[in-house]
Amino acid sequence: MSDKPKVGLDRSKTGRAKGTVNKTTAELKDMILGALSDVGGQAYLARQAEENPGAFMGLIGRVLPKDVTLSSDSTINIILHNPSE
């Protein structure tokens, strides 16, 4: 069998549209959100932040954006204090 695409087949128009969530991923996300709702939602997460801070911070690390780009025309002053002084 040849590895070459068939003549006239436009590969850019096949498959899922860019940005479309995988069906399994969407179903899993819905199940997780449903379970969170069943156990108390935001109140449950707040309780976990107190009782299991390591796991909670791991969750925060996964949901926060990895890169943040900021732009400003204003001057920003950053003052660092050495706690040992």
Side-chain angles (χ1 to χ4, degrees):
M1 192 173 224
S2 174
D3 289 335
K4 295 181 181 179
K6 295 179 182 177
V7 175
L9 181 61
D10 184 358
R11 296 271 182 204
S12 68
K13 294 187 177 36
T14 60
R16 214 170 41 234
K18 186 175 181 178
T20 303
V21 178
N22 183 318
K23 180 180 177 185
T24 304
T25 303
E27 289 174 354
L28 181 59
K29 181 180 175 183
D30 288 343
M31 288 170 36
I32 292 169
L33 292 175
L36 177 61
S37 178
D38 290 348
V39 296
Q42 186 175 348
Y44 173 79
L45 289 177
R47 197 168 56 252
Q48 292 309 309
E50 294 289 330
E51 296 173 6
N52 301 303
F56 184 77
M57 293 309 290
L59 174 65
I60 296 300
R62 292 191 177 273
V63 299
L64 289 179
K66 302 236 184 277
D67 296 316
V68 177
T69 303
L70 302 173
S71 63
S72 174
D73 294 333
S74 301
T75 301
I76 299 173
N77 295 321
I78 299 175
I79 301 171
L80 303 175
H81 295 280
N82 187 344
S84 63
E85 290 180 355

